[in-house]
Short mmCIF file of all heavy atoms in Angstrom, two decimals:
data_model
loop_
_atom_site.label_atom_id
_atom_site.label_comp_id
_atom_site.label_asym_id
_atom_site.label_seq_id
_atom_site.Cartn_x
_atom_site.Cartn_y
_atom_site.Cartn_z
N ASN O 49 137.16 200.93 68.76
CA ASN O 49 137.20 199.49 69.01
C ASN O 49 138.02 198.86 67.93
O ASN O 49 137.65 198.83 66.76
CB ASN O 49 135.75 198.96 69.04
CG ASN O 49 135.71 197.57 69.54
OD1 ASN O 49 136.61 196.81 69.25
ND2 ASN O 49 134.68 197.20 70.20
N THR O 50 139.17 198.31 68.28
CA THR O 50 140.06 197.72 67.32
C THR O 50 139.57 196.37 66.78
O THR O 50 140.07 195.92 65.77
CB THR O 50 141.50 197.53 67.91
OG1 THR O 50 141.34 196.90 69.15
CG2 THR O 50 142.22 198.83 68.04
N LEU O 51 138.63 195.75 67.47
CA LEU O 51 138.10 194.49 67.01
C LEU O 51 137.10 194.73 65.90
O LEU O 51 137.06 193.97 64.93
CB LEU O 51 137.33 193.82 68.15
CG LEU O 51 138.26 193.06 69.15
CD1 LEU O 51 137.38 192.34 70.19
CD2 LEU O 51 139.12 192.00 68.44
N THR O 52 136.30 195.82 66.00
CA THR O 52 135.33 196.12 64.96
C THR O 52 135.79 197.13 63.97
O THR O 52 135.20 197.27 62.87
CB THR O 52 133.99 196.64 65.62
OG1 THR O 52 134.36 197.86 66.29
CG2 THR O 52 133.39 195.66 66.63
N GLY O 53 136.84 197.87 64.36
CA GLY O 53 137.33 198.93 63.47
C GLY O 53 136.63 200.30 63.76
O GLY O 53 137.05 201.28 63.21
N GLU O 54 135.62 200.27 64.64
CA GLU O 54 134.93 201.49 64.91
C GLU O 54 135.75 202.71 65.40
O GLU O 54 136.61 202.39 66.38
CB GLU O 54 133.80 201.19 66.02
CG GLU O 54 132.94 202.38 66.39
CD GLU O 54 132.34 202.21 67.74
OE1 GLU O 54 132.37 201.10 68.32
OE2 GLU O 54 131.80 203.20 68.22
N GLY O 55 135.71 203.77 64.75
CA GLY O 55 136.42 205.00 65.23
C GLY O 55 137.93 205.01 64.90
O GLY O 55 138.59 205.97 65.23
N LEU O 56 138.43 203.93 64.31
CA LEU O 56 139.89 203.84 64.14
C LEU O 56 140.42 204.87 63.16
O LEU O 56 141.42 205.62 63.46
CB LEU O 56 140.27 202.50 63.64
CG LEU O 56 140.90 201.39 64.62
CD1 LEU O 56 141.30 200.20 63.92
CD2 LEU O 56 142.05 202.04 65.34
N ALA O 57 139.80 204.98 61.98
CA ALA O 57 140.34 205.90 60.94
C ALA O 57 140.21 207.32 61.48
O ALA O 57 141.18 208.07 61.26
CB ALA O 57 139.40 205.74 59.71
N GLU O 58 139.19 207.64 62.19
CA GLU O 58 138.99 209.01 62.73
C GLU O 58 140.10 209.39 63.70
O GLU O 58 140.75 210.43 63.64
CB GLU O 58 137.68 209.18 63.40
CG GLU O 58 136.42 209.05 62.44
CD GLU O 58 136.04 207.60 62.05
OE1 GLU O 58 136.73 206.69 62.46
OE2 GLU O 58 135.01 207.46 61.32
N ASN O 90 143.57 194.89 62.17
CA ASN O 90 142.78 196.08 61.90
C ASN O 90 143.58 197.37 62.16
O ASN O 90 143.54 198.33 61.38
CB ASN O 90 141.47 196.13 62.79
CG ASN O 90 140.47 195.06 62.38
OD1 ASN O 90 140.52 194.50 61.27
ND2 ASN O 90 139.57 194.77 63.30
#
Side-chain angles (χ1 to χ4, degrees):
N49 190 325
T50 48
L51 282 180
T52 61
E54 181 201 349
L56 258 186
E58 293 79 358
N90 289 341

